[in-house]
Amino acid sequence: MQRVQNLARRVAAGALVSSLSAVVPAAAVPGSPACEHVTLSWAGGTAKQGGGSDRQETARVQVKNTGDRACSLLGAPSVELTTDGVPERLLPQRGGAGVDLAPGRTATFTITFLGDTGRNGNEIIRPDQAVVTLPGGTVKTLAWRWGSVTRQEAASRPGNYVSPVA
């Protein structure tokens, strides 16, 4: 009887492990290597170089794995727009599926922001760079070329935010 119970426990444990591994994506597995060897570049969106709009704009960022092994990204990066070193932190959106990047492959995320010409009386920042911290901790910097942005850190419903990596 004891042997039958032990066998039943092992079968149940194996079924549980099998069902869990089918639900958890590979990118979310603890221990997946972070993307350390990457380049970032601007890759489109609605924003125009130099800015000049008084509306919400998007700037898409491409992340390319320049390393020699696959790496994983899960969630939204942290982005700070800096003006003379003073940061304006953008709100990261929640969610997103894990992205596995093979060597040479790319993924993207979008920075959404309120462009501002300064004519509306809003408090604005004139960023000179975007400091990006990717999921996993790799930090990269991009020169900001999209003009002035409405300051939103204290907004109850910010219009400046970052999408998860896809």
Side-chain angles (χ1 to χ4, degrees):
M1 183 66 172
Q2 184 68 23
R3 264 180 115 173
V4 171
Q5 288 175 336
N6 287 342
L7 180 60
R9 283 187 194 122
R10 279 187 241 146
V11 169
L16 177 62
V17 168
S18 294
S19 66
L20 287 176
S21 63
V23 174
V24 178
V29 174
S32 292
C35 292
E36 296 175 357
H37 302 284
V38 296
T39 58
L40 301 185
S41 59
W42 297 112
T46 63
K48 303 288 185 252
Q49 190 156 338
S53 81
D54 284 318
R55 62 178 190 257
Q56 195 166 48
E57 301 285 358
T58 60
R60 197 168 48 249
V61 178
Q62 180 176 279
V63 181
K64 182 176 183 179
N65 180 358
T66 58
D68 59 1
R69 66 180 185 159
C71 62
S72 296
L73 297 167
L74 176 63
S78 168
V79 175
E80 292 181 340
L81 301 180
T82 62
T83 305
D84 296 325
V86 177
E88 166 85 5
R89 183 166 153 69
L90 305 185
L91 180 70
Q93 290 182 312
R94 296 179 195 257
V99 175
D100 286 326
L101 283 181
R105 302 298 290 183
T106 62
T108 61
F109 64 91
T110 301
I111 298 172
T112 301
F113 62 96
L114 295 169
D116 203 316
T117 60
R119 295 187 295 244
N120 298 323
N122 297 324
E123 185 178 351
I124 64 172
I125 57 172
R126 291 179 175 84
D128 48 26
Q129 61 184 7
V131 179
V132 177
T133 305
L134 294 170
T138 300
V139 179
K140 296 289 182 177
T141 302
L142 287 166
W144 185 258
R145 56 185 184 187
W146 313 118
S148 298
V149 176
T150 301
R151 184 174 291 281
Q152 291 278 293
E153 279 187 337
S156 59
R157 194 163 176 233
N160 300 336
Y161 52 89
V162 183
S163 75
V165 178

